[in-house]
Amino acid sequence: MKKSLLLITACTFLGCAEMQQIVDQLPQIGSILSNADIAKGLKEALNQGIDKQVTKLTQTDGFYKNEAVKILLPEELKKVDAKLRALGLSNLADEGLKVVNRAAEDAVKEGTPIFVDAVKQMTFTDAKNILLGDDSAATSYLQRITSTALYSKFNPIIKNSFAKVGAYKVWTNIITKNNSIPLITKINSDLTDYTTNKAMDGVLKMIAVEEKQIRTNLNSRS
């Protein structure tokens, strides 16, 4: 049984063609492994990938210094950022960007249990579709199952985090300075919803990276 589980875990994220080769070579796989065994091996691999990537994002600079997921400013604030830098206020602009990413790092700490619950809910049909699906099948499943719960969890945490790291004070200062510039379009931007969605995108993007790594790199498979 232990060998069977290891076999499924090792094969969890293989592409369709490679998986079909294994099935062709091992026609007895259906008699060796039950549906429960297959699902259990996949869930174990998914949980390992989630833990590895989500943990990275919760660390200080997990978002801010990771160019793949770093949260940049929305379009209406990019002009503000550029004007602040042109006026010699780069430090203030940098701080405004940093506190947005700090809030995301804070929120993601609460994300792991939501993903774990999604994996627990997985049926055998879900597992089979992921196993034989494309390179992002597992990520797509998690996105479909967790998006509503993630938003509900992340949004209030980001609001609280903005208060904790002083984001509201920083952005009030930034917006006040922007609005004091002659002939400039005044803004009143609420970053909470924007940051919540970007934090969710970042988590799923890193899980997709892990999924691709497991599918294509033998050394990444448990």
Side-chain angles (χ1 to χ4, degrees):
M1 178 63 68
K2 187 178 291 185
K3 290 181 179 179
S4 299
L5 289 175
L6 287 173
L7 172 63
I8 284 301
T9 305
C11 295
T12 296
F13 291 123
L14 296 178
C16 295
E18 190 174 354
M19 190 61 204
Q20 188 59 53
Q21 284 184 336
I22 291 173
V23 173
D24 290 342
Q25 293 169 9
L26 298 174
Q28 74 275 24
I29 193 168
S31 61
I32 295 175
L33 300 175
S34 69
N35 290 355
D37 293 333
I38 294 171
K40 184 177 180 180
L42 176 58
K43 289 178 181 181
E44 181 183 347
L46 268 176
N47 279 327
Q48 288 177 5
I50 289 166
D51 183 65
K52 178 180 177 181
Q53 293 301 336
V54 173
T55 298
K56 286 181 183 178
L57 293 177
T58 63
Q59 298 169 359
T60 300
D61 292 328
F63 272 82
Y64 188 61
K65 291 189 177 179
N66 182 342
E67 293 302 320
V69 296
K70 182 177 181 177
I71 300 176
L72 304 178
L73 297 178
E75 287 301 321
E76 67 269 22
L77 292 179
K78 286 181 180 178
K79 293 179 181 179
V80 178
D81 181 88
K83 290 190 183 308
L84 289 174
R85 295 181 190 280
L87 292 170
L89 296 171
S90 295
N91 288 341
L92 181 59
D94 289 340
E95 186 63 19
L97 193 59
K98 184 180 292 185
V99 292
V100 168
N101 284 272
R102 287 286 181 269
E105 291 158 10
D106 213 24
V108 171
K109 294 175 184 177
E110 304 296 324
T112 301
I114 294 173
F115 287 117
V116 171
D117 285 344
V119 172
K120 286 180 181 178
Q121 294 173 29
M122 187 184 297
T123 65
F124 172 69
T125 299
D126 293 327
K128 182 179 70 174
N129 290 339
I130 290 170
L131 191 66
L132 298 176
D134 61 27
D135 286 350
S136 61
T139 305
S140 296
Y141 167 81
L142 290 172
Q143 182 174 23
R144 176 170 57 85
I145 297 297
T146 66
S147 288
T148 300
L150 279 180
Y151 188 93
S152 298
K153 192 77 170 180
F154 280 15
N155 192 262
I157 293 171
I158 285 173
K159 284 182 181 177
N160 291 334
S161 183
F162 274 171
K164 183 177 73 175
V165 302
Y168 291 123
K169 183 178 179 180
V170 171
W171 275 99
T172 296
N173 192 11
I174 288 174
I175 291 170
T176 299
K177 284 189 179 296
N178 172 82
N179 291 350
S180 68
I181 300 172
L183 304 178
I184 198 73
T185 301
K186 290 178 169 45
I187 58 167
N188 183 21
S189 183
D190 179 3
L191 285 172
T192 306
D193 177 71
Y194 175 81
T195 305
T196 300
N197 283 300
K198 287 297 182 182
M200 292 168 58
D201 289 346
V203 172
L204 290 165
K205 184 177 286 187
M206 293 310 297
I207 291 175
V209 168
E210 180 68 11
E211 178 178 4
K212 184 175 181 180
Q213 183 77 352
I214 294 172
R215 285 183 187 273
T216 58
N217 185 352
L218 287 171
N219 293 328
S220 295
R221 298 176 192 161
S222 62

